[in-house]
Amino acid sequence: MSAVLSASAPPRAAARQNWILGPAQDTLFIVAAPPLVLGAAIALFAALGAADATAYILLLHVVLTVAHHLPTFIRVYGDVELFRRFRWTFILAPVIPFGFAAVALALLNARGLPVQNVLYLWVLLALWDPWHFLMQHYGFTRIYDRHNAAPKKLAARMDLLLCAVWFVFIMLASGEWLAGILEDLYLRAHLPAALLLPPAAVRALTGFMLSSATLATIAYSAYLVWCRRRGYFVSVTKLALLVTMFGVMFLAYTPNPWILTWAPGWTFAVGFAVIGIVHMTQYLAIVWRYNSSLASRPEAARAGLFRRLHARGGWFVGAGYVALCLAYGAVLTRQHENRWLMSVLLALGFTSTLLHYYFDGFIWKLRQSRNREHLGLARQGDAPEIGAGAASAATRPRSPFATLLRHALYFGVPLSLLSGGALWVLDGPGTNYVGHMLRGGALYGRGRAHEALDEARTALASMEWQLPLARHLVELEPRPAREAALAFLIYNRSRYAELLIPSLAAAKVDASAVARHRDDVAQAASLLAHALEDGGPIGTVGGRELRREDAYATLASWREEIER
């Protein structure tokens, strides 16, 4: 959520801590949530082992991700004035994203392709998600700092600077986040951003951001000392949240010996899920506070169930609110055999996530007095809220056509770019070269050599398309799984290009081809040996988990092949 403060400087308030729900509830659900969720995840690893714990944590994250969208829609459609102000935005915003997802899924079903191919659209969500997370965290710092009498622009910029530099550094230091985004852009949407980004530049940027974060922390410390000397209130709760969030985020995201000692088998995906669960817990808390306050004003809240339940409040109603959100997430993320039902759920899930990010970008701005009022931040001297009929570009209502056109540009351009690339991928050799290898082998065994040759050529085309990316990603993120994947890609590509396809095409395999293959096998063996020496997980090949004993057996066979 965005947190942009009013430019006006209000009079100094009493030096007291501002809360969202209350001291105990804020401590539990917001400030202490990062270490509590991390501790629960580590305990799950100890109790169930890495594989089962990872599966449960990722599943919970998926359900909660969609679950926490519902409070956004409850607020949007339950706040009478907000809905009146942005009426056509809230009504028409789903049209473009749902339409793109529906058309893509209809084409996949018509061609008999797996509906999971529509996940190329999720690349846009993966790019938007970090900004969304950062701005929610920044918003919490501003809420807790509300009674600081320091100049508001200065206070807001100092909080944003500290949050932004540490967030960017941790995301880059994780290694896997950026590599995963670049990989998805290439393999799902044929966008070669990875090949245009030198690994040395990423390493230099990561070092620069660490230096920037260190300097920003020093500057922020000086700012806090200045505030104390001037008699300005300093929020200990805000400082505690900064420490717990970024401390846990660093432990969960970046390769470090501590997390691997506490939870062997821990991965970035698990860490990302843990922080995501924290984010969702915090979000449920703040929306509950807002809607409860809104319901206390009959003229502001929509009549009916929304007003009755939120006005009543209490732990029982709050538990029902959480259960309803979880049910929403469970329904939209459930797997079904029926591909048309899955298509509907995928389209709804994509639209739900995109609209959650989009709506949160403007409905939570603290410069809006209604947000300050219902979050308990308003105080004497605050400027009145600008109404829907006032002369303000930010709040002036748009016509339905103008609103739809704006969304067509805002959503349509990036979705069209991704869809065009995804169509190329679908019509190209694809990413599953192992599948083509297996089908080719089966056809050859049945005496259908010509069809086997076609499958072999498709497998080779897939490998040659993926090889530049795989090499680049190993330089960008040299972890065992990527090295092992590159080793198998190099070996299989060489075997098909130099030996198998010429043999199937009845061409002579000359000595130079054999020599080139031997060099490639040596390179593949070196990569696989290095991956095995590291001791970490070595990933999958052809969608199946690669066991270490199988990898050692493969390495031995490659070394024998070199010596022949």
Side-chain angles (χ1 to χ4, degrees), residues 104-278:
L105 285 158
L107 291 174
L108 291 172
N109 283 312
R111 298 172 62 172
L113 297 170
V115 294
Q116 287 76 13
N117 283 312
V118 80
L119 294 179
Y120 77 87
L121 292 173
W122 270 249
V123 176
L124 179 60
L125 304 180
L127 292 170
W128 203 334
D129 178 77
W131 173 257
H132 170 77
F133 174 86
L134 171 62
M135 294 313 292
Q136 173 175 299
H137 181 73
Y138 167 59
F140 277 117
T141 67
R142 299 309 305 134
I143 290 171
Y144 286 133
D145 202 51
R146 184 60 178 167
H147 294 297
N148 183 359
K152 293 304 175 187
K153 284 188 177 180
L154 173 64
R157 288 170 180 169
M158 292 301 296
D159 284 345
L160 181 58
L161 173 66
L162 189 69
C163 291
V165 292
W166 275 110
F167 181 82
V168 173
F169 163 68
I170 292 172
M171 295 301 288
L172 290 173
S174 71
E176 194 168 340
W177 175 80
L178 181 59
I181 290 290
L182 295 173
E183 184 177 30
D184 283 343
L185 284 170
Y186 189 92
L187 297 181
R188 294 188 184 275
H190 194 51
L191 295 175
L195 306 183
L196 304 176
L197 185 63
V202 176
R203 289 190 288 270
L205 180 59
T206 304
F208 172 77
M209 290 309 304
L210 175 59
S211 300
S212 299
T214 303
L215 291 174
T217 303
I218 295 172
Y220 195 83
S221 300
Y223 159 72
L224 293 177
V225 171
W226 176 80
C227 285
R228 295 290 291 181
R229 288 180 175 176
R230 301 275 302 218
Y232 298 148
F233 173 73
V234 174
S235 171
V236 176
T237 302
K238 177 187 73 172
L239 299 179
L241 178 60
L242 288 168
V243 171
T244 59
M245 179 58 78
F246 289 119
V248 170
M249 189 176 172
F250 180 83
L251 286 173
Y253 279 20
T254 62
N256 61 83
W258 299 290
I259 196 66
L260 292 176
T261 299
W262 301 330
W266 187 276
T267 63
F268 169 79
V270 175
F272 189 85
V274 164
I275 297 301
I277 292 169
V278 171

Side-chain angles (χ1 to χ4, degrees), residues 374-437:
H374 293 302
L375 291 176
L377 306 179
R379 58 191 183 190
Q380 187 177 6
D382 278 354
E385 185 176 22
I386 300 173
S392 170
T395 58
R396 187 180 299 120
R398 292 186 177 92
S399 69
F401 177 77
T403 301
L404 192 60
L405 178 61
R406 180 174 183 268
H407 291 151
L409 294 172
Y410 192 75
F411 297 135
V413 171
L415 291 178
S416 295
L417 184 63
L418 290 172
S419 297
L423 185 61
W424 185 96
V425 172
L426 287 176
D427 291 336
T431 60
N432 187 16
Y433 72 88
V434 175
H436 291 292
M437 290 168 57

Side-chain angles (χ1 to χ4, degrees), residues 335-375:
Q335 299 293 313
H336 295 275
E337 293 290 335
N338 187 302
R339 62 186 295 128
W340 288 103
L341 178 57
M342 274 305 303
S343 297
V344 172
L345 294 178
L346 284 167
L348 289 173
F350 171 73
T351 306
S352 177
T353 307
L354 192 66
L355 293 182
H356 169 71
Y357 292 164
Y358 176 51
F359 290 164
D360 268 17
F362 62 87
I363 67 174
W364 287 108
K365 293 183 183 296
L366 292 186
R367 65 167 172 252
Q368 297 174 8
S369 64
R370 288 175 62 84
N371 285 335
R372 298 196 298 273
E373 175 187 352
H374 293 302
L375 291 176

